[in-house]
């Protein structure tokens, strides 16, 4: 089939990196066509950061920032120099969406709405007169003599001088990221590393943890053990979910936990009060009890732990919730304190790839010129975002990679002949 339309640049995939790439190419004067199979642009982007969009990480030290991408960081210096963290801040501010910085330097739009970020990009595309075709699935890249000649889609064929592949990875496939780009890259002679979940929630056995679904702990310390032997600890927030535990601290622990699960039974002990040792906590609880002698224990706990957690603590410590505080025995108090310092969980596994926040896998960086994001096999093909095989932690590093690679690909696709 002969392609019927002609543009300077065709971007396949209207997610975070594709929208940046299309907007940037258009800003430089290119006639850009953006093809997206969903009915809307930025579906995954709109659910990032629990709906708040952790848009980047405000780490100012460029070396420290690049180091977060492990060995890949070395390949990315030039790309980050073209569009780095500061550029993300100015880009958003210039478009009426200032950012705020929270714990661990995680940056969010001040409106705390991920959909506002997606809308900012929709306006960016409109300003550049990008032709956006939603509901159009690309089915195949038409290749000839080491170049892409056109794309076949559910709505006909299109052609351009340069193509930007921004179809994402395979996590949360309901958002449209179904790994289509992997097959096209393979067909074009590229290697595609098998994806494995890297940032993924953990499943646990305990029913009480699942019942706490939606409850979050702002600051806790979790210690992972194999067959009762301590292996490593992490501190930060934790979110209980209907299948187990999640939140940045857990997601960032998943890679290591995966290894532990091969060694033996993995348990995790959650310290609800990491800032105080057991003795100091016991003293605080004693003071709390002294001040609330005639209240029911369950009501007193409500004020010091998140909703629902008091009942759980009492059940695990085997203390009747209807007991008046003055009747709580010394042993019962000690058991409560002990449980609060060592809430026990049995980790049964990692959630599957489809629930991962980020999966690695995709195009290895030595097969792409990271100064331009151009494929080293196909002259007029550029690759961005989650399609690249790069491990990184949670905290805004994935989206920054999208802004950077999208910007660099958009810039360089324009000058492709
Ligand atoms: C629940 C969740 C929360 C997250 N939160 C954060 C966060 O707060 N901060 C952060 O840094 N990262 C976060 N991430 C990761 C981040 O969302 C991704 O790294 C980023 O969205 C990847 O962008 P992308 O452009 O590479 O691909 P995607 O966003 O996956 O977009 C790819 C697009 O291509 C389209 N497409 C696919 N195949 C075709 C085809 N054949 N034809 C046409 N269109 C096609 C898809 O429909 C999709 O719209 C989160 C991820 C998830 C799942």
């Amino acid at each position: 089939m002969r392609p019927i339309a002609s543009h300077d640049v065709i971007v396949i995939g209207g997610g975070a990196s594709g929208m940046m790439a299309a907007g940037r190419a258009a800003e430089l004067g290119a006639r850009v066509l953006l093809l997206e199979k969903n009915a809307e642009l930025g579906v995954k982007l709109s659910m990032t950061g629990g709906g708040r969009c952790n848009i980047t990480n405000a780490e100012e030290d460029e070396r420290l920032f690049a180091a977060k991408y492990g060995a890949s960081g070395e390949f990315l210096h030039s790309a980050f120099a073209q569009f780095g963290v500061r550029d993300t801040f100015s880009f958003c501010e210039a478009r009426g969406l200032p950012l705020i910085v929270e714990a661990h330097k995680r940056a969010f739009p001040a409106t705390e709405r991920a959909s506002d970020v997606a809308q900012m990009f929709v306006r960016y595309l409109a300003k550049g007169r990008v032709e956006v075709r939603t509901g159009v699935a690309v089915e195949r890249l038409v290749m000839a003599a080491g170049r892409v000649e056109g794309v076949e889609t559910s709505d006909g064929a299109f052609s351009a001088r340069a193509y930007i592949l921004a179809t994402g990875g395979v996590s949360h496939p309901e958002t449209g990221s179904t790994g289509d780009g992997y097959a096209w890259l393979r067909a074009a002679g590229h290697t595609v590393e098998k994806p494995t979940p890297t940032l993924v929630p953990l499943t646990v056995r305990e029913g009480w943890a699942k019942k706490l679904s939606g409850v979050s702990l702002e600051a806790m310390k979790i210690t992972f053990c194999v067959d009762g032997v301590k292996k490593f600890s992490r501190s930060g927030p934790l979110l209980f979910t209907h299948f187990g535990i999640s939140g940045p601290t857990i997601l960032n622990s998943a890679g290591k936990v995966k290894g532990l699960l091969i060694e033996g039974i993995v348990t995790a002990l959650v310290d609800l009060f990491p800032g105080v040792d057991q003795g100091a906590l016991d003293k605080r609880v004693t003071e709390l009890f002294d001040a609330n002698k005639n209240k029911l224990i369950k009501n007193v706990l409500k004020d010091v732990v998140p909703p629902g957690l008091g009942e759980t603590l009492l059940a695990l410590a085997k203390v009747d919730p209807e007991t008046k505080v003055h009747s709580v025995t010394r042993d019962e108090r000690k058991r409560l304190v002990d449980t609060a310092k060592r809430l026990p969980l049995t980790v049964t596994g990692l959630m599957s790839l489809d629930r991962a926040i980020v999966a690695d896998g995709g195009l290895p960086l030595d097969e792409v010129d990271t100064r331009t994001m151009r494929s080293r096999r196909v002259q007029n093909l550029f690759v961005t975002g989650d399609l690249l095989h790069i491990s990184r932690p949670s905290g805004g590093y994935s989206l920054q990679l999208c802004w950077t690679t999208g910007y660099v690909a958009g810039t360089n696709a324009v000058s492709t002949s």
Side-chain angles (χ1 to χ4, degrees):
M1 193 190 297
R2 274 176 64 81
I4 52 162
S6 194
H7 295 83
D8 296 319
V9 180
I10 290 180
V11 179
I12 309 171
S17 69
M19 288 196 287
M20 174 58 104
R24 173 63 183 158
E27 188 173 64
L28 295 176
R31 287 167 305 149
V32 183
L33 171 64
L34 173 60
L35 299 171
E36 166 56 54
K37 69 178 171 182
N38 288 331
E40 281 170 34
L41 297 172
V43 171
K44 185 178 276 182
L45 177 60
S46 296
M47 64 192 254
T48 53
R52 297 173 63 225
C53 186
N54 182 189
I55 195 165
T56 186
N57 190 286
E59 175 56 69
E60 279 166 22
D61 184 323
E62 285 164 18
R63 295 185 69 81
L64 281 182
F65 187 84
K68 292 285 182 181
Y69 299 87
S72 305
E74 289 301 314
F75 288 87
L76 295 167
H77 285 297
S78 157
F80 285 137
Q82 293 174 61
F83 195 93
V85 173
R86 280 202 201 114
D87 301 299
T88 302
F89 271 76
S90 349
F91 181 91
C92 295
E93 266 157 36
R95 286 164 185 80
L97 196 69
L99 306 184
I100 50 168
V101 179
E102 296 191 354
H104 307 288
K105 303 190 180 176
R106 297 191 305 150
F108 296 84
T111 60
E112 304 195 45
R113 278 194 305 261
S115 55
D116 290 347
V117 180
Q119 283 313 311
M120 172 182 74
F121 277 101
V122 169
R123 289 195 302 274
Y124 184 41
L125 298 171
K127 193 165 179 215
R129 296 179 195 279
V130 172
E131 183 182 340
V132 177
R133 291 200 181 210
T134 52
V136 176
V138 172
E139 289 159 357
R140 198 170 77 88
L141 303 190
V142 183
M143 306 287 300
R147 291 175 62 88
V148 185
E149 289 284 297
V151 290
E152 287 178 2
T153 79
S154 55
D155 194 27
F158 301 92
S159 71
R161 285 188 288 113
Y163 297 79
I164 299 177
L165 207 50
T167 49
V170 287
S171 74
H172 281 261
E174 76 282 6
T175 63
S177 324
T178 45
D180 302 13
Y182 291 163
W184 304 331
L185 285 170
R186 269 192 213 101
H190 275 295
T191 315
V192 174
E193 297 291 341
K194 194 172 173 285
T196 54
T198 50
L199 293 179
V200 67
L202 301 177
T203 53
V204 302
R205 182 173 303 145
E206 286 74 12
W208 60 259
K210 296 172 195 168
K211 277 196 204 136
L212 287 173
S213 177
V215 172
S216 61
L217 307 174
E218 288 308 311
M220 58 91 223
K221 179 176 169 194
I222 187 164
T223 303
F224 291 95
C225 311
V226 175
D227 297 332
V229 179
K230 284 184 188 171
K231 292 292 176 177
F232 75 98
S233 299
R234 289 260 162 93
S235 299
L238 178 147
L239 173 71
F240 290 101
T241 69
H242 62 280
F243 46 77
I245 49 175
S246 188
T249 323
I250 302 305
L251 298 173
N252 288 329
S253 304
K256 267 184 147 179
V257 171
K258 187 159 86 178
L260 300 184
L261 284 160
I262 300 165
E263 292 177 31
I265 305 283
V266 178
T267 48
L269 299 170
V270 178
D271 183 348
L272 299 177
F273 298 92
V276 280
D277 67 21
Q278 188 137 349
L281 183 61
D282 190 42
K283 193 161 168 265
R284 277 200 204 172
V285 172
T286 307
E287 286 162 9
L288 180 74
F289 283 7
D290 285 346
N292 294 280
K293 281 194 171 81
N294 292 318
K295 291 191 181 160
L296 292 178
I297 178 81
K298 66 175 186 188
N299 293 336
V300 173
L301 287 191
K302 256 188 208 154
D303 295 337
V304 287
V305 291
L309 200 54
E311 285 93 321
T312 304
L313 282 177
L314 290 165
L316 292 173
K318 298 192 171 54
V319 178
D320 181 354
E322 303 300 328
T323 313
K324 284 258 173 86
V325 166
H326 61 70
S327 304
V328 174
T329 66
R330 182 175 177 276
D331 275 357
E332 284 175 328
R333 192 191 72 231
K334 294 269 179 207
R335 285 206 301 275
L336 263 177
V337 169
D338 194 54
T339 310
K341 292 293 284 177
R342 273 180 284 273
L343 206 52
L345 290 165
T346 317
V347 180
T348 48
L350 271 58
M351 288 295 282
S352 56
L353 199 52
D354 59 347
R355 303 304 299 173
I357 298 297
V358 168
D360 62 5
L363 184 63
L365 285 191
D366 57 356
E367 294 189 22
V368 66
D369 177 352
T370 47
R371 292 165 305 175
T372 58
M373 301 320 297
R374 187 197 306 264
S375 151
R376 291 193 189 276
R377 303 260 191 286
V378 186
Q379 239 180 321
N380 61 342
L381 181 66
F382 296 78
V383 185
T384 62
D386 277 5
L387 264 178
L388 299 159
H389 178 44
I390 302 173
S391 289
R392 65 270 181 188
S394 80
Y397 296 97
S398 296
L399 283 175
Q400 182 58 51
L401 201 59
C402 290
W403 315 137
T404 297
T405 56
Y407 181 93
V408 171
T411 305
N412 289 283
V414 173
S415 49
T416 297
S417 51

